[in-house]
Amino acid sequence: MFIRLVALLLTMTCATVSAQESFTRTATPWPDVPPPPRAQVQWVSDDMRVNGVPMKVQAFQSRASKDEVVAFYMAHWRIAANAVPDPAKPPASVTAHGPDTLVARAHGPYYSLVKVRSASDGGSEGTISTSLLLGVEPRIDASGIPAPRSATPVNVVESIDNGKRNKQVMLVSREPLDSIASYYQTQLAASGWSLLQEQNASAKGSQGPAIVRMYGRDKQQLDVAMGVDVERRLTIVTVNLVKF
């Protein structure tokens, strides 16, 4: 339930902002990773930074099977590296991770990763990501995002898409949901934010309750999704800031 509400939060964020400095503009050209065969591909973001690491990410759905997609990238990177087939030194690493298969290759300062899993129609689906790792220090910078003292930031995603710049921070807290919701209601109102929209979900089975709110202030939008992880007894908060 909470995941669906976070997805709703993201669709609610539709504001645009002026273009700012790119996360992925570098002197060294980014490697070109082709789409898998018989696939539909769309950008998640071609200009983002995850925990301080510049990154480009695409999602795909393919009529080719998972094994075909893995074989395609192994062959592509073998040709790109001008490598003679050598089982002891493959052009990319292949790792099983639950239902996913990960195909990864380092090229210079960049690291490309294809994550693919089988789809219900016999095809496959997954993501294609490339990160700039050399000379980059990963960091979790939650500055500019309101958060209670009890909350710990665990993931920060910044993106620039079609002139829109977002900063999204995920936090975890041992405080109950009501306490976290009260903090945002009080603190944001005191800081001049106006509540524009709110949706609530009651607990069902093992799923905890969740709240999604949209706030506005001047030329800014702040979306807050709060939910309960019943198993780990945590309140999970996702805050997304957009500046017009």
Side-chain angles (χ1 to χ4, degrees):
M1 176 66 71
F2 181 61
I3 296 299
R4 290 199 296 271
L5 283 173
V6 170
L8 173 63
L9 181 154
L10 293 176
T11 60
M12 286 161 51
T13 304
C14 58
T16 59
V17 296
S18 58
Q20 299 184 38
E21 184 179 354
S22 169
F23 298 128
T24 58
R25 186 177 301 142
T26 61
T28 304
W30 285 65
D32 182 20
V33 182
R38 307 195 301 280
Q40 293 182 334
V41 181
Q42 61 183 8
W43 281 104
V44 175
S45 177
D46 65 350
D47 198 350
M48 67 190 301
R49 184 165 62 187
V50 179
N51 295 334
V53 177
M55 185 179 297
K56 298 184 178 186
V57 182
Q58 294 173 289
F60 69 85
Q61 298 82 38
S62 173
R63 296 191 302 277
S65 69
K66 180 174 74 170
D67 289 344
E68 287 178 288
V69 171
V70 172
F72 169 81
Y73 283 104
M74 292 297 287
H76 167 73
W77 278 324
R78 182 176 291 114
I79 293 171
N82 295 317
V84 176
D86 182 354
K89 297 180 180 180
S93 65
V94 179
T95 308
H97 188 266
D100 300 319
T101 296
L102 311 180
V103 188
R105 181 175 187 262
H107 2 214
Y110 298 102
Y111 180 81
S112 293
L113 175 66
V114 177
K115 182 168 70 173
V116 56
R117 65 172 58 190
S118 297
S120 58
D121 61 0
S124 60
E125 59 189 14
T127 58
I128 306 164
S129 63
T130 299
S131 307
L132 174 60
L133 298 181
L134 191 64
V136 176
E137 182 178 353
R139 61 192 177 94
I140 296 179
D141 176 13
S143 61
I145 300 297
R149 292 183 178 179
S150 67
T152 301
V154 295
N155 194 57
V156 179
V157 178
E158 300 164 272
S159 63
I160 305 172
D161 297 291
N162 296 321
K164 181 174 70 176
R165 189 181 184 105
N166 296 336
K167 183 170 185 176
Q168 184 184 91
V169 177
M170 177 174 287
L171 311 109
V172 296
S173 174
R174 292 288 180 184
E175 285 194 61
L177 176 62
D178 289 347
S179 178
I180 298 295
S182 178
Y183 162 84
Y184 280 105
Q185 181 178 359
T186 302
Q187 293 299 318
L188 294 181
S191 299
W193 291 93
S194 299
L195 179 63
L196 305 177
Q197 187 174 339
E198 178 173 348
Q199 295 192 21
N200 297 268
S202 57
K204 294 182 180 179
S206 61
Q207 297 176 333
I211 303 170
V212 175
R213 294 174 180 165
M214 176 194 292
Y215 294 88
R217 183 184 69 180
D218 298 328
K219 294 185 178 181
Q220 300 178 82
Q221 180 177 314
L222 188 72
D223 302 309
V224 184
M226 300 163 278
V228 177
D229 184 326
V230 176
E231 184 177 347
R232 294 188 294 169
R233 298 181 181 180
L234 292 172
T235 299
I236 301 176
V237 184
T238 302
V239 184
N240 191 69
L241 176 64
V242 180
K243 296 182 178 179
F244 293 77

